[in-house]
Amino acid sequence: MDVASLSSPPSPAASLPVSSDRPEGWGEFFRMPVFHPGAQVRLGDRVETVSHITIRRQDMCIHLVGRDAPVPPEKLVVEPTVFATCRMP
């Protein structure tokens, strides 16, 4: 070891244990909205049901039950699904 490394304080990131199951900087969980058939979504002040989802030319459209035109996902509100960032037993 050189003298310069002994005199500098250790960085906070160096003292934390790094888990090999999760990339650096990731938390234990993350939340993401997931659209699937039968999911309840909110469009404005109305609650709607998802019929099916289409992806065309990198554009996702959500089709709702009883509506002819698809709706962009940005206009819908859905409860996010929680995912774990490491393998769960």
Side-chain angles (χ1 to χ4, degrees):
M1 268 192 224
D2 60 29
V3 177
S5 66
L6 293 175
S7 63
S8 63
S11 67
S15 63
L16 295 176
V18 176
S19 173
S20 62
D21 295 341
R22 196 169 39 242
E24 185 177 340
W26 285 28
E28 292 184 32
F29 301 98
F30 71 95
R31 298 168 64 91
M32 181 175 75
V34 177
F35 297 98
H36 57 86
Q40 298 290 313
V41 297
R42 194 172 61 214
L43 176 63
D45 59 349
R46 297 184 56 190
V47 175
E48 304 277 347
T49 303
V50 175
S51 171
H52 60 283
I53 297 100
T54 58
I55 299 175
R56 188 176 301 153
R57 295 185 181 163
Q58 299 179 352
D59 188 30
M60 182 168 72
C61 289
I62 312 298
H63 297 264
L64 302 175
V65 174
R67 291 184 177 257
D68 293 332
V71 178
E74 298 84 32
K75 292 187 176 182
L76 300 173
V77 177
V78 63
E79 181 66 29
T81 302
V82 178
F83 293 93
T85 58
C86 62
R87 186 177 293 262
M88 303 299 276

